[in-house]
């Protein structure tokens, strides 16, 4: 630390989160959007804040198996997020397609198109797991700043 | 010359500049923490808004292809500077009195409009449809709340001016001095409509929940701020932090400046008043209400605050 505060260290205490739904069934989204914010888990104590615009985001949570129809929109959205950014794939769908894996409309695994830094498997994952994933993402983000 | 240096110091150090920025961000931190505690959450650290600003400094700024680059990047600067100057205009009883050359209520009214206009310009310059929606909502809201504000200011000015044996005085120093001598307007029944109208005005001016319609996250994705990222977004956050200090401090100066003559005690009293105003007027309101629609807010403002402001002006003129 020393006399001059370590600004990078301080900066990692303010990760803003953006959710992308890449064709998810909404199960993971409910876990991300509501459960992680309720008093019992409270992701805000890590300094996290859900933001409405991808341009404000630092950590991206992607859920869903990436359907053919949303692929272009998801890629565009991903590019709108300013660097440095970290991607967290939430749920089993981004990894393998989950229960949708044999569908013709699904392009999973998602890391063919977007670099994924942290995987949080589960259908849906428990909120503790999502928060652990976000904490891991913050550690990765610190190195990228 | 020493005059100009004093003004410059007031703009850059205290009560504008460094102090107002730190104080505004700290208020935001307390607001978020208290809000979390009221919802029985742990909440973010008290210094969270400072972390946010530092973080935004590390991010890249992206300019959309559809945006007008110059306007897009430099308008927030105008907003920040206007708020820095505005912060140096508001007196703090027995701690700070603005230079008579600048400490004028009318100047302050104009400066207070600038952040809204900056948001409008920023929203329309970003070339995003959400920005455009935010622009039109901000404009409607401004039309709704600026009227009552002007009438409130006129009521205070006339009340003070008549009390001092003239017609109307817009000098903020005189307004504070008059109330120090004759009792605060908050305890003057003639001024109660104006106080009530001000209570409706400032949540709208600060964009707090019942009236945060232009920046509604869930509808228009923060509207004018949608396309901003990195340090430029930090400028907007700084602008709103400064504005919070200016508007709350103005409310104190206009209606309840009573404080002991001692500098330290006066400052302490000011801090307590700011804290109460913020916790009751911002945090509690923000948590207990939902967002209005723009048409509802517009009609609401043209009904109640305008009526109250007109009533207060009429009462002040007659009495």
């Amino acid at each position: 630390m020393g006399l001059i505060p370590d600004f990078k260290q301080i900066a990692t205490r303010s990760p803003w989160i953006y959710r992308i739904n890449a064709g998810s069934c909404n199960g993971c989204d409910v876990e991300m959007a509501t459960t992680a914010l309720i008093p019992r888990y409270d992701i805000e104590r890590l300094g996290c804040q859900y933001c409405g615009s991808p341009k404000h985001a630092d950590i991206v949570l992607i859920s869903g198996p990436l359907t053919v129809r949303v692929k272009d929109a998801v890629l565009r959205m991903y590019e709108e997020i300013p660097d440095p950014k970290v991607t967290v794939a939430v749920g089993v769908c981004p990894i393998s397609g989950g229960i949708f894996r044999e569908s013709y409309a699904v392009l999973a695994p998602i890391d063919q198109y977007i670099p994924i830094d942290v995987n949080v498997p589960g259908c849906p994952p428990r909120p503790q797991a999502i928060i652990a994933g976000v904490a891991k993402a913050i550690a990765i983000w610190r190195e990228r700043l | 010359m020493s005059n100009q240096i004093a003004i410059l110091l007031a703009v850059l150090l205290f009560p504008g500049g460094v102090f107002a920025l730190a104080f505004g961000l700290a208020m935001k931190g307390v607001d978020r923490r208290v809000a979390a505690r009221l919802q029985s959450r742990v909440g973010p650290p008290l210094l969270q808004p400072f972390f946010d600003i530092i973080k935004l400094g590390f991010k890249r700024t992206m300019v959309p292809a559809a945006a007008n680059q110059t306007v897009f990047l430099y308008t927030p600067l105008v907003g920040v500077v206007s708020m820095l100057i505005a912060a140096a205009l508001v007196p703090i009883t027995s701690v700070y009195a603005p230079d008579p050359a600048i400490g004028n209520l009318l100047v302050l009214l104009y400066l207070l409009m600038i952040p809204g206009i900056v948001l409008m310009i920023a929203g329309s310059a970003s070339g995003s449809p959400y920005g455009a929606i935010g622009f039109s909502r901000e404009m409607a809201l401004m039309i709704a709340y600026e009227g009552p504000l002007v009438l409130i200011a006129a009521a205070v000015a006339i009340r003070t001016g008549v009390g001092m044996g003239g017609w109307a005085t817009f000098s903020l120093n005189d307004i504070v001095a008059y109330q120090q001598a004759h009792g605060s307007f908050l305890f003057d029944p003639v001024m109660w409509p104006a106080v009530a109208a001000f209570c409706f005005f400032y949540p709208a001016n600060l964009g707090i929940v019942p009236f945060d319609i232009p920046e509604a996250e869930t509808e228009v994705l923060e509207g004018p701020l949608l396309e901003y990222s990195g340090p430029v977004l930090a400028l907007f956050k700084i602008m709103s932090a400064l504005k919070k200090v200016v508007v709350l401090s103005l409310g104190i100066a206009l209606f309840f400046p009573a404080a002991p003559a001692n500098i330290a005690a006066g400052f302490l009293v000011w801090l307590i008043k700011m804290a109460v105003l913020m916790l009751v007027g911002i945090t509690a309101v923000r948590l207990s209400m939902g967002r209005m629609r723009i048409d509802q807010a517009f009609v609401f403002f043209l009904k109640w605050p305008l009526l109250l402001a007109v009533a207060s002006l009429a009462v002040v003129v007659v009495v």
Side-chain angles (χ1 to χ4, degrees), chain B residues 3-61:
Chain B
N3 237 355
Q4 287 159 353
I5 292 174
I7 292 177
L8 200 66
L9 279 182
V11 170
L12 292 178
L13 282 178
F14 179 86
V18 180
F19 170 76
L21 176 59
F23 190 65
L25 290 178
M27 278 209 305
K28 175 86 183 146
V30 172
D31 169 54
R32 276 179 71 177
R33 181 74 162 204
V34 171
R37 284 296 157 87
L38 288 177
Q39 294 171 336
S40 60
R41 291 186 286 126
V42 178
L46 281 177
L47 294 179
Q48 189 61 43
F50 294 91
F51 302 156
D52 291 346
I53 298 284
I54 291 170
K55 189 278 303 285
L56 287 171
F58 279 97
K59 296 286 281 186
R60 204 153 58 97
T61 297

Side-chain angles (χ1 to χ4, degrees), chain A residues 82-98:
Chain A
D83 290 326
K85 58 190 166 192
V86 181
T87 327
V88 181
V90 177
V92 78
C93 290
I95 303 173
S96 67

Side-chain angles (χ1 to χ4, degrees), chain A residues 10-18 43-51 56-59 86 134-135 137-139 141, chain B residues 32 48 51-52 55 59:
Chain A
I10 293 173
T12 54
R13 299 186 64 177
S14 158
W16 288 0
I17 299 179
Y18 184 68
I43 205 166
E44 203 184 357
R45 69 203 147 97
L46 297 177
C48 296
Q49 199 181 342
Y50 278 108
C51 44
H56 303 178
D58 306 303
I59 292 176
V86 181
V134 170
I138 294 172
W141 184 47
Chain B
R32 276 179 71 177
Q48 189 61 43
F51 302 156
D52 291 346
K55 189 278 303 285
K59 296 286 281 186

Side-chain angles (χ1 to χ4, degrees), chain B residues 281-301:
Chain B
I282 295 183
T283 315
V285 171
R286 168 168 97 84
L287 290 179
S288 52
M289 293 175 108
R291 185 181 303 123
M292 282 185 174
R293 281 199 322 263
I294 186 66
D295 57 323
Q296 292 169 331
F298 194 75
V299 169
F300 173 80
F301 265 96

Side-chain angles (χ1 to χ4, degrees), chain B residues 85-93 96-109 111-112 153 156-157 160 164 168-180 185 246-247 249-255 257:
Chain B
I85 300 172
L89 294 188
V90 186
I92 301 172
T93 322
Y96 171 77
D99 192 283
I102 57 168
N104 191 305
L105 189 53
L106 289 178
V107 180
L108 195 61
L109 288 189
L111 284 172
L112 272 182
V156 171
T160 314
M164 292 174 84
T169 173
F170 288 97
S171 156
L172 283 161
N173 285 335
D174 286 352
I175 291 171
V176 169
Y178 176 78
Q179 294 184 68
Q180 278 288 71
F185 287 152
V246 172
V247 173
S249 189
L250 173 69
I252 293 172
L254 286 188
F255 298 115

